[in-house]
Amino acid sequence: MQKRSIQRGQLTGTTTYEAEPAIAFGASVREERTSQGIAQETLAHLSGIERSHMGKIERGEHVPTLPLILKIARALKCSSAHLMALTEAKLAETAPPKSAD
């Protein structure tokens, strides 16, 4: 049997988070931001993060930490609970229908 070398790190194209909730949260932030007429760069500035990071959050490429969620909510002048409710609603829209047993 041939020895294999140990390869550290993750495979290219893999994620270490659940993409569906990240995408739903990002869509919720974008929806709230656009409904208020706020530019992405402005929201990023108000939240204290880079614009590129805000873009990744809105595209669902990054899962923000709780402190960052609170900063985003404060910048949007809404509660984090409101953002979570929007996220849960988006997740419910994409959930497969439950089968009747």
Side-chain angles (χ1 to χ4, degrees):
M1 191 158 45
Q2 193 174 19
K3 281 189 171 182
R4 287 185 166 176
S5 63
I6 297 174
Q7 295 181 344
R8 302 206 187 281
Q10 63 186 28
L11 299 173
T12 303
T14 61
T15 58
T16 58
Y17 65 95
E18 292 185 45
E20 193 175 354
I23 292 168
F25 179 77
S28 298
V29 170
R30 178 177 284 140
E31 182 181 297
E32 190 64 29
R33 174 180 64 77
T34 56
S35 73
Q36 293 183 27
I38 300 173
Q40 188 181 72
E41 188 170 357
T42 303
L43 178 59
H45 175 74
L46 292 171
S47 301
I49 62 173
E50 294 290 324
R51 191 220 43 86
S52 61
H53 191 183
M54 183 60 71
K56 288 179 182 179
I57 291 170
E58 287 190 1
R59 289 189 304 273
E61 296 172 3
H62 183 263
V63 180
T65 61
L66 179 58
L68 192 50
I69 291 170
L70 294 171
K71 287 180 182 181
I72 293 169
R74 188 176 314 120
L76 288 170
K77 295 183 173 71
C78 69
S79 69
S80 57
H82 175 69
L83 289 177
M84 290 298 114
L86 289 174
T87 302
E88 288 177 1
K90 290 188 181 310
L91 287 171
E93 291 172 4
T94 61
K98 292 183 180 180
S99 61
D101 289 326

